[in-house]
Amino acid sequence: MATKKSELSKDKIVSMYMDYVLEHNEKPKSVYQFFKLNNITEKEFYNFFGTIESIEKEIFNMFFEKTIALLKKDKDFETYDMRSKLLSFNFTFFELLTANRSYVVMALKESGNQLKSLTKLSNLRKSYIEFVSEIITDEIRTKQEQFQNFQEKAILESCWFQLLLTIKFWIDDTSPAFEKTDIYIEKSINTAFELFNVAPLDSLIDFGKFIFKEKIYSK
């Protein structure tokens, strides 16, 4: 009796794609090549994705979704303030990236083109911006009343930029267990909140010392 073919899913296609990239050191040259090599039909593939590029974008968004799912398992997460929620997100998100580091580094360094790499993060950006907009607290808003016309957009873009810088730092991090990335996360988020509070000096100096030490003395 023939073995029933396991049900295809978005996660399975993503797993097939990541395996292909790591094994061949490049992405599939076409959708046709990809589904033929993985013994799936064209229709099955297009039930989940329209292009190879859409898989790449969804992979980083899936890291986001899995991060949120893990955070929601903590019954106390919703009681955290905004700073604690961002710290929890970053630490959890980068644990997932680290578990898939070989693929992530290859995907983001593939073309050597930073703008092209950013397109792979477009779905992640949308999801992350929505997440941050949901956790902005009234305390942050009221402290920024003098900037009401653009404060929320500035906060959202600042948080996204902080995440991008952290990804770059993590890619370059060679410390054991990427412990320097953990330090970077804490210092960069603390600095961001000092900026939100219009009292940045202490955190900026502390963060600046850390970056200076890493860039000068690690060479």
mmCIF file with all atom_site columns, all heavy atoms in Angstrom, residues 2-18:
data_model
loop_
_atom_site.group_PDB
_atom_site.id
_atom_site.type_symbol
_atom_site.label_atom_id
_atom_site.label_alt_id
_atom_site.label_comp_id
_atom_site.label_asym_id
_atom_site.label_entity_id
_atom_site.label_seq_id
_atom_site.pdbx_PDB_ins_code
_atom_site.Cartn_x
_atom_site.Cartn_y
_atom_site.Cartn_z
_atom_site.occupancy
_atom_site.B_iso_or_equiv
_atom_site.pdbx_formal_charge
_atom_site.auth_seq_id
_atom_site.auth_comp_id
_atom_site.auth_asym_id
_atom_site.auth_atom_id
_atom_site.pdbx_PDB_model_num
ATOM 1   N N   . ALA A 1 2  ? 0.589  2.184  -0.881 1.00 0.00 ? 2  ALA A N   1
ATOM 2   C CA  . ALA A 1 2  ? 1.404  3.392  -1.011 1.00 0.00 ? 2  ALA A CA  1
ATOM 3   C C   . ALA A 1 2  ? 1.281  4.267  0.231  1.00 0.00 ? 2  ALA A C   1
ATOM 4   O O   . ALA A 1 2  ? 0.214  4.381  0.828  1.00 0.00 ? 2  ALA A O   1
ATOM 5   C CB  . ALA A 1 2  ? 0.982  4.180  -2.247 1.00 0.00 ? 2  ALA A CB  1
ATOM 6   N N   . THR A 1 3  ? 2.406  4.840  0.626  1.00 0.00 ? 3  THR A N   1
ATOM 7   C CA  . THR A 1 3  ? 2.395  5.742  1.770  1.00 0.00 ? 3  THR A CA  1
ATOM 8   C C   . THR A 1 3  ? 1.745  7.060  1.380  1.00 0.00 ? 3  THR A C   1
ATOM 9   O O   . THR A 1 3  ? 2.059  7.631  0.339  1.00 0.00 ? 3  THR A O   1
ATOM 10  C CB  . THR A 1 3  ? 3.828  6.020  2.250  1.00 0.00 ? 3  THR A CB  1
ATOM 11  O OG1 . THR A 1 3  ? 4.453  4.776  2.558  1.00 0.00 ? 3  THR A OG1 1
ATOM 12  C CG2 . THR A 1 3  ? 3.825  6.923  3.472  1.00 0.00 ? 3  THR A CG2 1
ATOM 13  N N   . LYS A 1 4  ? 0.834  7.526  2.219  1.00 0.00 ? 4  LYS A N   1
ATOM 14  C CA  . LYS A 1 4  ? 0.147  8.781  1.936  1.00 0.00 ? 4  LYS A CA  1
ATOM 15  C C   . LYS A 1 4  ? 1.124  9.941  2.024  1.00 0.00 ? 4  LYS A C   1
ATOM 16  O O   . LYS A 1 4  ? 1.907  10.063 2.964  1.00 0.00 ? 4  LYS A O   1
ATOM 17  C CB  . LYS A 1 4  ? -0.998 8.993  2.931  1.00 0.00 ? 4  LYS A CB  1
ATOM 18  C CG  . LYS A 1 4  ? -1.837 10.230 2.629  1.00 0.00 ? 4  LYS A CG  1
ATOM 19  C CD  . LYS A 1 4  ? -2.969 10.369 3.632  1.00 0.00 ? 4  LYS A CD  1
ATOM 20  C CE  . LYS A 1 4  ? -3.787 11.627 3.358  1.00 0.00 ? 4  LYS A CE  1
ATOM 21  N NZ  . LYS A 1 4  ? -4.877 11.783 4.343  1.00 0.00 ? 4  LYS A NZ  1
ATOM 22  N N   . LYS A 1 5  ? 1.122  10.773 1.013  1.00 0.00 ? 5  LYS A N   1
ATOM 23  C CA  . LYS A 1 5  ? 2.004  11.931 0.990  1.00 0.00 ? 5  LYS A CA  1
ATOM 24  C C   . LYS A 1 5  ? 1.614  12.902 2.100  1.00 0.00 ? 5  LYS A C   1
ATOM 25  O O   . LYS A 1 5  ? 0.443  13.215 2.284  1.00 0.00 ? 5  LYS A O   1
ATOM 26  C CB  . LYS A 1 5  ? 1.900  12.626 -0.379 1.00 0.00 ? 5  LYS A CB  1
ATOM 27  C CG  . LYS A 1 5  ? 2.894  13.754 -0.577 1.00 0.00 ? 5  LYS A CG  1
ATOM 28  C CD  . LYS A 1 5  ? 2.742  14.340 -1.975 1.00 0.00 ? 5  LYS A CD  1
ATOM 29  C CE  . LYS A 1 5  ? 3.702  15.499 -2.190 1.00 0.00 ? 5  LYS A CE  1
ATOM 30  N NZ  . LYS A 1 5  ? 3.545  16.069 -3.545 1.00 0.00 ? 5  LYS A NZ  1
ATOM 31  N N   . SER A 1 6  ? 2.600  13.356 2.877  1.00 0.00 ? 6  SER A N   1
ATOM 32  C CA  . SER A 1 6  ? 2.305  14.269 3.982  1.00 0.00 ? 6  SER A CA  1
ATOM 33  C C   . SER A 1 6  ? 1.747  15.572 3.446  1.00 0.00 ? 6  SER A C   1
ATOM 34  O O   . SER A 1 6  ? 2.116  16.036 2.369  1.00 0.00 ? 6  SER A O   1
ATOM 35  C CB  . SER A 1 6  ? 3.576  14.545 4.802  1.00 0.00 ? 6  SER A CB  1
ATOM 36  O OG  . SER A 1 6  ? 4.568  15.133 3.995  1.00 0.00 ? 6  SER A OG  1
ATOM 37  N N   . GLU A 1 7  ? 0.849  16.158 4.232  1.00 0.00 ? 7  GLU A N   1
ATOM 38  C CA  . GLU A 1 7  ? 0.173  17.379 3.798  1.00 0.00 ? 7  GLU A CA  1
ATOM 39  C C   . GLU A 1 7  ? 1.166  18.541 3.724  1.00 0.00 ? 7  GLU A C   1
ATOM 40  O O   . GLU A 1 7  ? 1.974  18.752 4.627  1.00 0.00 ? 7  GLU A O   1
ATOM 41  C CB  . GLU A 1 7  ? -0.943 17.715 4.781  1.00 0.00 ? 7  GLU A CB  1
ATOM 42  C CG  . GLU A 1 7  ? -1.794 18.893 4.348  1.00 0.00 ? 7  GLU A CG  1
ATOM 43  C CD  . GLU A 1 7  ? -2.949 19.143 5.292  1.00 0.00 ? 7  GLU A CD  1
ATOM 44  O OE1 . GLU A 1 7  ? -3.188 18.299 6.171  1.00 0.00 ? 7  GLU A OE1 1
ATOM 45  O OE2 . GLU A 1 7  ? -3.589 20.200 5.151  1.00 0.00 ? 7  GLU A OE2 1
ATOM 46  N N   . LEU A 1 8  ? 1.091  19.250 2.628  1.00 0.00 ? 8  LEU A N   1
ATOM 47  C CA  . LEU A 1 8  ? 1.998  20.380 2.424  1.00 0.00 ? 8  LEU A CA  1
ATOM 48  C C   . LEU A 1 8  ? 1.498  21.582 3.222  1.00 0.00 ? 8  LEU A C   1
ATOM 49  O O   . LEU A 1 8  ? 0.301  21.757 3.436  1.00 0.00 ? 8  LEU A O   1
ATOM 50  C CB  . LEU A 1 8  ? 2.063  20.724 0.926  1.00 0.00 ? 8  LEU A CB  1
ATOM 51  C CG  . LEU A 1 8  ? 3.233  21.587 0.469  1.00 0.00 ? 8  LEU A CG  1
ATOM 52  C CD1 . LEU A 1 8  ? 4.562  20.876 0.708  1.00 0.00 ? 8  LEU A CD1 1
ATOM 53  C CD2 . LEU A 1 8  ? 3.086  21.934 -1.011 1.00 0.00 ? 8  LEU A CD2 1
ATOM 54  N N   . SER A 1 9  ? 2.418  22.406 3.655  1.00 0.00 ? 9  SER A N   1
ATOM 55  C CA  . SER A 1 9  ? 2.074  23.613 4.407  1.00 0.00 ? 9  SER A CA  1
ATOM 56  C C   . SER A 1 9  ? 3.080  24.712 4.082  1.00 0.00 ? 9  SER A C   1
ATOM 57  O O   . SER A 1 9  ? 4.132  24.455 3.487  1.00 0.00 ? 9  SER A O   1
ATOM 58  C CB  . SER A 1 9  ? 2.094  23.341 5.915  1.00 0.00 ? 9  SER A CB  1
ATOM 59  O OG  . SER A 1 9  ? 3.415  23.049 6.342  1.00 0.00 ? 9  SER A OG  1
ATOM 60  N N   . LYS A 1 10 ? 2.754  25.910 4.496  1.00 0.00 ? 10 LYS A N   1
ATOM 61  C CA  . LYS A 1 10 ? 3.673  27.030 4.305  1.00 0.00 ? 10 LYS A CA  1
ATOM 62  C C   . LYS A 1 10 ? 4.993  26.760 5.015  1.00 0.00 ? 10 LYS A C   1
ATOM 63  O O   . LYS A 1 10 ? 6.074  27.000 4.461  1.00 0.00 ? 10 LYS A O   1
ATOM 64  C CB  . LYS A 1 10 ? 3.039  28.322 4.837  1.00 0.00 ? 10 LYS A CB  1
ATOM 65  C CG  . LYS A 1 10 ? 3.906  29.553 4.644  1.00 0.00 ? 10 LYS A CG  1
ATOM 66  C CD  . LYS A 1 10 ? 3.176  30.815 5.057  1.00 0.00 ? 10 LYS A CD  1
ATOM 67  C CE  . LYS A 1 10 ? 3.040  30.928 6.550  1.00 0.00 ? 10 LYS A CE  1
ATOM 68  N NZ  . LYS A 1 10 ? 2.508  32.247 6.984  1.00 0.00 ? 10 LYS A NZ  1
ATOM 69  N N   . ASP A 1 11 ? 4.913  26.243 6.238  1.00 0.00 ? 11 ASP A N   1
ATOM 70  C CA  . ASP A 1 11 ? 6.125  25.947 6.998  1.00 0.00 ? 11 ASP A CA  1
ATOM 71  C C   . ASP A 1 11 ? 7.009  24.930 6.290  1.00 0.00 ? 11 ASP A C   1
ATOM 72  O O   . ASP A 1 11 ? 8.242  25.044 6.299  1.00 0.00 ? 11 ASP A O   1
ATOM 73  C CB  . ASP A 1 11 ? 5.769  25.426 8.389  1.00 0.00 ? 11 ASP A CB  1
ATOM 74  C CG  . ASP A 1 11 ? 5.366  26.541 9.342  1.00 0.00 ? 11 ASP A CG  1
ATOM 75  O OD1 . ASP A 1 11 ? 5.286  27.703 8.900  1.00 0.00 ? 11 ASP A OD1 1
ATOM 76  O OD2 . ASP A 1 11 ? 5.133  26.254 10.531 1.00 0.00 ? 11 ASP A OD2 1
ATOM 77  N N   . LYS A 1 12 ? 6.389  23.918 5.676  1.00 0.00 ? 12 LYS A N   1
ATOM 78  C CA  . LYS A 1 12 ? 7.166  22.878 4.994  1.00 0.00 ? 12 LYS A CA  1
ATOM 79  C C   . LYS A 1 12 ? 7.870  23.430 3.757  1.00 0.00 ? 12 LYS A C   1
ATOM 80  O O   . LYS A 1 12 ? 9.015  23.075 3.476  1.00 0.00 ? 12 LYS A O   1
ATOM 81  C CB  . LYS A 1 12 ? 6.263  21.704 4.612  1.00 0.00 ? 12 LYS A CB  1
ATOM 82  C CG  . LYS A 1 12 ? 5.878  20.828 5.799  1.00 0.00 ? 12 LYS A CG  1
ATOM 83  C CD  . LYS A 1 12 ? 5.066  19.626 5.366  1.00 0.00 ? 12 LYS A CD  1
ATOM 84  C CE  . LYS A 1 12 ? 4.733  18.748 6.568  1.00 0.00 ? 12 LYS A CE  1
ATOM 85  N NZ  . LYS A 1 12 ? 3.917  17.576 6.203  1.00 0.00 ? 12 LYS A NZ  1
ATOM 86  N N   . ILE A 1 13 ? 7.176  24.293 3.017  1.00 0.00 ? 13 ILE A N   1
ATOM 87  C CA  . ILE A 1 13 ? 7.810  24.893 1.848  1.00 0.00 ? 13 ILE A CA  1
ATOM 88  C C   . ILE A 1 13 ? 8.983  25.772 2.278  1.00 0.00 ? 13 ILE A C   1
ATOM 89  O O   . ILE A 1 13 ? 10.055 25.744 1.662  1.00 0.00 ? 13 ILE A O   1
ATOM 90  C CB  . ILE A 1 13 ? 6.793  25.708 1.020  1.00 0.00 ? 13 ILE A CB  1
ATOM 91  C CG1 . ILE A 1 13 ? 5.785  24.760 0.349  1.00 0.00 ? 13 ILE A CG1 1
ATOM 92  C CG2 . ILE A 1 13 ? 7.499  26.564 -0.031 1.00 0.00 ? 13 ILE A CG2 1
ATOM 93  C CD1 . ILE A 1 13 ? 4.737  25.451 -0.489 1.00 0.00 ? 13 ILE A CD1 1
ATOM 94  N N   . VAL A 1 14 ? 8.791  26.524 3.341  1.00 0.00 ? 14 VAL A N   1
ATOM 95  C CA  . VAL A 1 14 ? 9.874  27.358 3.863  1.00 0.00 ? 14 VAL A CA  1
ATOM 96  C C   . VAL A 1 14 ? 11.066 26.498 4.284  1.00 0.00 ? 14 VAL A C   1
ATOM 97  O O   . VAL A 1 14 ? 12.227 26.826 3.997  1.00 0.00 ? 14 VAL A O   1
ATOM 98  C CB  . VAL A 1 14 ? 9.378  28.219 5.047  1.00 0.00 ? 14 VAL A CB  1
ATOM 99  C CG1 . VAL A 1 14 ? 10.550 28.774 5.849  1.00 0.00 ? 14 VAL A CG1 1
ATOM 100 C CG2 . VAL A 1 14 ? 8.508  29.369 4.538  1.00 0.00 ? 14 VAL A CG2 1
ATOM 101 N N   . SER A 1 15 ? 10.794 25.388 4.960  1.00 0.00 ? 15 SER A N   1
ATOM 102 C CA  . SER A 1 15 ? 11.863 24.485 5.375  1.00 0.00 ? 15 SER A CA  1
ATOM 103 C C   . SER A 1 15 ? 12.607 23.915 4.163  1.00 0.00 ? 15 SER A C   1
ATOM 104 O O   . SER A 1 15 ? 13.847 23.847 4.156  1.00 0.00 ? 15 SER A O   1
ATOM 105 C CB  . SER A 1 15 ? 11.290 23.352 6.222  1.00 0.00 ? 15 SER A CB  1
ATOM 106 O OG  . SER A 1 15 ? 12.294 22.469 6.642  1.00 0.00 ? 15 SER A OG  1
ATOM 107 N N   . MET A 1 16 ? 11.855 23.526 3.129  1.00 0.00 ? 16 MET A N   1
ATOM 108 C CA  . MET A 1 16 ? 12.470 23.029 1.892  1.00 0.00 ? 16 MET A CA  1
ATOM 109 C C   . MET A 1 16 ? 13.361 24.099 1.265  1.00 0.00 ? 16 MET A C   1
ATOM 110 O O   . MET A 1 16 ? 14.475 23.810 0.799  1.00 0.00 ? 16 MET A O   1
ATOM 111 C CB  . MET A 1 16 ? 11.382 22.633 0.886  1.00 0.00 ? 16 MET A CB  1
ATOM 112 C CG  . MET A 1 16 ? 10.567 21.430 1.242  1.00 0.00 ? 16 MET A CG  1
ATOM 113 S SD  . MET A 1 16 ? 9.214  21.234 0.041  1.00 0.00 ? 16 MET A SD  1
ATOM 114 C CE  . MET A 1 16 ? 8.323  19.841 0.760  1.00 0.00 ? 16 MET A CE  1
ATOM 115 N N   . TYR A 1 17 ? 12.865 25.320 1.260  1.00 0.00 ? 17 TYR A N   1
ATOM 116 C CA  . TYR A 1 17 ? 13.607 26.420 0.646  1.00 0.00 ? 17 TYR A CA  1
ATOM 117 C C   . TYR A 1 17 ? 14.906 26.693 1.398  1.00 0.00 ? 17 TYR A C   1
ATOM 118 O O   . TYR A 1 17 ? 15.978 26.836 0.786  1.00 0.00 ? 17 TYR A O   1
ATOM 119 C CB  . TYR A 1 17 ? 12.746 27.683 0.601  1.00 0.00 ? 17 TYR A CB  1
ATOM 120 C CG  . TYR A 1 17 ? 13.470 28.864 0.002  1.00 0.00 ? 17 TYR A CG  1
ATOM 121 C CD1 . TYR A 1 17 ? 13.566 29.019 -1.372 1.00 0.00 ? 17 TYR A CD1 1
ATOM 122 C CD2 . TYR A 1 17 ? 14.103 29.804 0.823  1.00 0.00 ? 17 TYR A CD2 1
ATOM 123 C CE1 . TYR A 1 17 ? 14.259 30.083 -1.929 1.00 0.00 ? 17 TYR A CE1 1
ATOM 124 C CE2 . TYR A 1 17 ? 14.799 30.868 0.277  1.00 0.00 ? 17 TYR A CE2 1
ATOM 125 C CZ  . TYR A 1 17 ? 14.872 30.994 -1.102 1.00 0.00 ? 17 TYR A CZ  1
ATOM 126 O OH  . TYR A 1 17 ? 15.570 32.037 -1.648 1.00 0.00 ? 17 TYR A OH  1
ATOM 127 N N   . MET A 1 18 ? 14.823 26.777 2.728  1.00 0.00 ? 18 MET A N   1
ATOM 128 C CA  . MET A 1 18 ? 16.016 27.053 3.517  1.00 0.00 ? 18 MET A CA  1
ATOM 129 C C   . MET A 1 18 ? 17.051 25.939 3.353  1.00 0.00 ? 18 MET A C   1
ATOM 130 O O   . MET A 1 18 ? 18.255 26.200 3.255  1.00 0.00 ? 18 MET A O   1
ATOM 131 C CB  . MET A 1 18 ? 15.626 27.243 4.985  1.00 0.00 ? 18 MET A CB  1
ATOM 132 C CG  . MET A 1 18 ? 14.833 28.513 5.243  1.00 0.00 ? 18 MET A CG  1
ATOM 133 S SD  . MET A 1 18 ? 14.218 28.662 6.944  1.00 0.00 ? 18 MET A SD  1
ATOM 134 C CE  . MET A 1 18 ? 15.740 28.924 7.845  1.00 0.00 ? 18 MET A CE  1
#
